[in-house]
């Protein structure tokens, strides 16, 4: 089940936090509860992705995206991601999450999120996000000026550009040899 109460808590917690600029990181802390754990007694990989929502949504609010989305009828969607899991996380551990925008291209924002425990990174995700409306994707040339962003995106790091290229080369839809769908 989606953690709506946790989301409400995060939005409440940061309701009076200072506004963020487009490249300012949003930092939050999170406790791992028994319902976040998988049968191997560690943080479930799918729950990790859901918990990363708890960083992106408050960050967007602090940047003014929530107000803009209401005014224009926009939303945000995940258009791709890749996650690295490097350290085991178990019940009741406290993690610090860092969420930041790395840059953008014509269609997508590229966001990096990471979980940290006592200075050690436990997992990190690269996420491609699109702004959408009833008419489809909204180009970044409309979104960023509406947020008051006038600067161009910095060059995306080489590893992000490599990920974009690899994803573009991926077969779509996936091949399903021997399976009728």
């Amino acid at each position: 089940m989606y953690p709506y109460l946790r989301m409400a808590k995060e939005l409440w917690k940061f309701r009076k936090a200072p506004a963020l600029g487009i490249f300012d990181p949003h930092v939050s802390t999170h406790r791992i509860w028994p319902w976040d754990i998988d049968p191997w007694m560690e943080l479930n990989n799918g729950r990790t992705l859901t918990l990363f929502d708890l960083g992106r949504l408050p960050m967007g609010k602090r940047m003014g995206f929530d107000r803009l989305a209401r005014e224009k009828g926009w939303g945000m969607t995940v258009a791709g991601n890749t996650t690295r899991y490097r350290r085991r996380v178990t019940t009741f551990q406290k993690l610090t999450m860092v969420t930041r925008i790395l840059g953008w291209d014509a269609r997508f924002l590229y966001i990096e999120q990471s979980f940290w425990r006592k200075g050690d990174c436990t997992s990190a995700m690269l996420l491609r996000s699109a702004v959408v409306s009833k008419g489809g994707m909204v180009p970044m040339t409309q979104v960023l000026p509406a947020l008051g962003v006038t600067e161009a995106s910095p060059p995306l790091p080489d590893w992000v550009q490599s990920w974009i290229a690899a994803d573009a080369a991926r077969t779509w839809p996936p091949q399903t040899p021997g399976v009728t769908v």
Side-chain angles (χ1 to χ4, degrees), residues 37-113:
I37 301 301
D38 65 19
W40 294 271
M41 303 308 293
E42 61 187 29
L43 178 60
N44 177 275
N45 62 306
R47 182 59 102 177
T48 299
L49 300 180
T50 300
L51 292 175
F52 278 137
D53 286 351
L54 303 182
R56 287 192 310 279
L57 294 173
M59 179 186 73
K61 182 174 180 51
R62 292 179 67 194
M63 290 180 174
F65 183 77
D66 64 324
R67 173 196 46 80
L68 187 62
R70 278 192 307 275
E71 289 172 8
K72 298 192 176 278
W74 290 350
M76 273 195 115
T77 189
V78 173
N81 68 66
T82 186
T83 307
R84 280 186 172 179
Y85 301 93
R86 290 295 185 260
R87 298 286 180 262
R88 190 167 194 253
V89 176
T90 58
T91 310
F92 304 120
Q93 289 182 332
K94 187 175 181 180
L95 302 177
T96 299
M97 182 193 307
V98 178
T99 302
R100 67 188 185 113
I101 293 176
L102 299 173
W104 54 87
D105 60 22
R107 299 171 51 196
F108 302 111
L109 283 172
Y110 295 90
I111 301 169
E112 181 181 50
Q113 294 187 271

Side-chain angles (χ1 to χ4, degrees), residues 6-20 25-30 54-55 57-59 61-62 97:
R6 279 168 128 167
M7 177 58 64
K9 179 189 85 97
E10 288 301 304
L11 292 170
W12 178 260
K13 183 167 66 173
F14 289 101
R15 73 192 182 285
K16 294 182 181 178
L20 292 176
H26 173 73
V27 179
S28 55
T29 57
H30 306 271
L54 303 182
L57 294 173
M59 179 186 73
K61 182 174 180 51
R62 292 179 67 194
M97 182 193 307

